[in-house]
Amino acid sequence: MGAGPVRGGVVRPAPGHPPGDPVLRPGGCRAGRTDRRRRAADRDHQPQEFLDAGRALAEVTGDTGIAYGYLNDGAQAWRLFWGLYGQKGAEYDLTPGRPAELDVDAATEILEFMQSMLDGTVTAPNSDYGSAIANFNTGRAGAIISGDWELNSLRGAVPDVSAVPLPIIYDQPAAFGDSHAYVLPRQISPDPERRRATYEVLAAILREGKAWAGAGHIPTLTEVVESQEYQEMTPQANYAEAGEWIFLDPPVWFTGSGSDFQNRMCQEMQRALLGLISAEEGVQSMLDEMNVLLSSPAPA
């Protein structure tokens, strides 16, 4: 999930993780990754502490503590769920032609936690993406679970907005994320000089990662993230470590941002989050949808 902004002067509950719900589009490892992950894992952040922090923020705003929009959205619920699944260290196996394997107990616990957030105090029970942003921008919520790409739009309403990674709510650092990539077409007889020139252009673009960071995203190259210029960018530098914790979608042909897979997962979770079915039933419905896709032939 992407970095979660907070209003100026309000400390985000139990900082320690990436984009609140949504994505953080990172790409790249930084030096000291192992040590930082160990320090982060030593932090004792539990689900109840997160809920308590949300209620404390609600006392300040007089409304809700944390803005979170998921209703009729094809990604938001999955982003938060999958990032927390990564925090649990839970295993999974999505292999085409075989039944989906998911840690049902861990998945159910996470979905129950998400249900508990939507109590009208920690966060509103039925917000969509736009209303969550509006509630944060107008001060009806003290923090927002959203993606780093929203940074500049949030600054328009809250100039001194800050941002931190999503808290480590479970056992280890992890958060949903994705990244943009360059895909070069395969050529039967490539021209070595043209190929080298192409790589040089792409490398030059990546070295200009500060422009990418200006939009809120985490640059790909270590040298950019560790540069003095980037480290002086606030609040971007505050959540750069989230790039080390990214938990990507399962590596199977039908997953990824904007996919029908994410949309299907969100539809099933939405029924549970609205209280129409139990968390356990929601997880089973998600597994059913995964199995439909796993039994479908890849288009290419």
Side-chain angles (χ1 to χ4, degrees):
M1 292 182 84
V6 295
R7 301 187 69 81
V10 177
V11 179
R12 175 66 181 272
H17 220 145
D21 137 28
V23 290
L24 163 82
R25 304 183 187 278
C29 300
R30 253 78 70 208
R33 169 176 179 167
T34 301
D35 289 341
R36 281 190 226 172
R37 285 179 66 90
R38 185 178 299 115
R39 288 199 302 272
D42 287 341
R43 303 170 190 160
D44 185 21
H45 298 321
Q46 299 297 327
Q48 189 57 50
E49 294 179 15
F50 181 89
L51 298 175
D52 289 344
R55 295 186 181 105
L57 283 172
E59 292 181 8
V60 177
T61 66
D63 201 323
T64 55
I66 303 168
Y68 173 60
Y70 71 93
L71 202 61
N72 298 324
D73 190 278
Q76 289 287 88
W78 171 255
R79 289 165 175 166
L80 181 54
F81 170 85
W82 195 239
L84 295 178
Y85 193 86
Q87 288 192 17
K88 293 284 286 184
E91 296 183 354
Y92 68 89
D93 181 21
L94 269 63
T95 301
R98 292 168 44 185
E101 295 182 17
L102 200 68
D103 188 327
V104 172
D105 289 340
T108 301
E109 181 182 346
I110 292 165
L111 198 48
E112 287 175 341
F113 167 71
M114 292 173 65
Q115 288 174 324
S116 69
M117 287 173 48
L118 306 174
D119 63 356
T121 300
V122 176
T123 191
N126 54 1
S127 281
D128 60 19
Y129 192 93
S131 61
I133 291 176
N135 288 341
F136 176 75
N137 286 348
T138 58
R140 295 182 61 187
I144 183 170
I145 296 176
S146 191
D148 53 11
W149 59 83
E150 289 291 354
L151 179 59
N152 288 331
S153 67
L154 295 176
R155 273 178 168 163
V158 187
D160 58 348
V161 69
S162 186
V164 295
L166 185 71
I168 303 169
I169 294 171
Y170 289 110
D171 304 325
Q172 62 187 35
F176 171 83
D178 66 3
S179 62
H180 292 265
Y182 293 106
V183 178
L184 304 182
R186 182 176 180 274
Q187 295 176 311
I188 302 263
S189 302
D191 182 320
E193 291 304 315
R194 293 184 65 181
R195 183 170 57 183
R196 177 183 294 276
T198 300
Y199 289 160
E200 288 176 350
V201 169
L202 296 182
I205 293 173
L206 294 177
R207 292 191 187 98
E208 294 298 320
K210 186 172 177 288
W212 187 236
H217 304 292
I218 299 176
T220 299
L221 294 184
T222 301
E223 64 187 65
V224 176
V225 174
E226 293 182 344
S227 69
Q228 185 65 31
E229 225 180 351
Y230 178 81
Q231 291 301 315
E232 291 175 354
M233 295 182 73
T234 55
Q236 288 91 325
N238 297 345
Y239 55 81
E241 63 179 341
E244 302 174 10
W245 303 347
I246 293 310
F247 194 59
L248 297 169
D249 264 9
V252 63
W253 68 266
F254 51 74
T255 63
S257 293
S259 63
D260 185 49
F261 167 76
Q262 287 193 2
N263 186 50
R264 292 189 186 200
M265 295 302 103
C266 288
Q267 287 178 3
E268 299 310 318
M269 279 189 280
Q270 178 172 296
R271 294 199 296 149
L273 295 177
L274 288 173
L276 303 177
I277 58 175
S278 68
E280 186 175 4
E281 291 170 326
V283 171
Q284 185 57 56
S285 296
M286 293 166 69
L287 278 168
D288 291 343
E289 291 294 334
M290 290 179 185
N291 287 330
V292 169
L293 291 167
L294 288 171
S295 64
S296 303

